[in-house]
């Protein structure tokens, strides 16, 4: 893992962040759901600071990314880190890149006094599930994620 460099993304990295989002969406068979643009990423990540991005470089080439933000646990009484996306390009898998990204996220969580690091994973994604288990992560099997988007969100808001 010594050749892997983890760094924070900058505004100049917006195009590569968007590339990773597209590659992840393709892997997850969700390409039709991607509406992110460079302008949206610039606005929400860098102007408003609503998310952060780590990039993994192997031999000077960007091969992975992790996009995360803070959430809050009322039971713990402190913030946590929610990992929205982690993706490593196929050619860099099995070389410690994903582990290096998770390790940096764990380090950031501890440095910031966070109580946990959590994420969601598609139930069919066996390689990722095996990877996460190997890192000591446990699934929250008794929890179901709920979501309002689009028309349902507008209706709930009274629009």
């Amino acid at each position: 893992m010594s050749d892997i460099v983890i760094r924070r993304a900058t505004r100049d990295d917006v195009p590569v962040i968007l590339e990773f989002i597209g590659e992840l969406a393709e892997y997850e068979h969700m390409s039709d759901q991607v509406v992110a643009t460079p302008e949206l990423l610039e606005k929400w990540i860098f102007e408003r600071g609503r998310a952060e991005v780590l990039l993994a470089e192997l031999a000077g080439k960007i091969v992975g990314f992790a996009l995360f933000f803070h959430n809050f646990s009322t039971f713990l009484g402190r913030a946590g880190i929610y990992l929205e996306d982690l993706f490593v390009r196929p050619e860099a898998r099995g070389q410690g890149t994903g582990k290096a990204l998770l390790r940096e996220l764990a380090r950031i969580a501890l440095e910031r006094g966070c109580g946990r690091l959590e994420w969601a994973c598609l139930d069919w994604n066996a390689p990722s599930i095996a990877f996460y288990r190997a890192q000591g992560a446990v699934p929250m099997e008794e929890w179901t994620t709920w979501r309002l988007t689009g028309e349902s969100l507008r209706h709930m808001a009274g629009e």
Side-chain angles (χ1 to χ4, degrees):
M1 284 195 339
S2 59
D3 344 4
I4 300 168
V5 174
I6 305 297
R7 68 172 178 85
R8 293 188 184 277
T10 67
R11 282 181 159 87
D12 292 340
D13 294 310
V14 166
V16 77
I17 294 168
L18 192 55
E19 283 177 29
F20 276 112
I21 291 168
E23 290 172 37
L24 174 62
E26 184 176 326
Y27 175 79
E28 292 181 339
H29 313 292
M30 299 174 144
S31 294
D32 61 320
Q33 296 180 35
V34 177
V35 296
T37 64
E39 295 77 19
L40 285 170
L41 295 178
E42 169 75 25
K43 176 180 181 178
W44 287 96
I45 296 172
F46 296 103
E47 287 176 25
R48 295 188 176 177
R50 298 294 192 228
E52 298 173 64
V53 178
L54 297 176
L55 296 174
E57 296 180 356
L58 184 60
K61 183 179 176 190
I62 300 172
V63 295
F65 93 126
L67 187 144
F68 66 100
F69 53 88
H70 284 279
N71 57 14
F72 193 86
S73 169
T74 54
F75 287 8
L76 295 177
R78 63 177 66 194
I81 287 181
Y82 187 82
L83 172 60
E84 178 69 21
D85 290 325
L86 177 107
F87 184 77
V88 175
R89 289 184 168 143
E91 68 271 15
R93 293 179 189 155
Q95 299 181 52
T97 306
K99 187 173 183 175
L101 284 163
L102 273 182
R103 178 175 285 133
E104 181 62 11
L105 286 165
R107 188 195 67 71
I108 291 168
L110 291 176
E111 177 184 273
R112 295 179 184 181
C114 295
R116 63 186 177 201
L117 168 60
E118 60 188 357
W119 58 90
C121 182
L122 291 165
D123 59 7
W124 59 259
N125 192 345
S128 293
I129 291 168
F131 168 73
Y132 295 138
R133 285 186 190 278
Q135 309 316 310
V138 294
M140 302 296 292
E141 294 175 2
E142 61 277 359
W143 292 89
T144 300
T145 302
W146 293 81
R147 178 178 293 167
L148 287 171
T149 62
E151 186 56 38
S152 297
L153 181 61
R154 286 188 287 281
H155 179 73
M156 180 56 64
E159 291 186 10

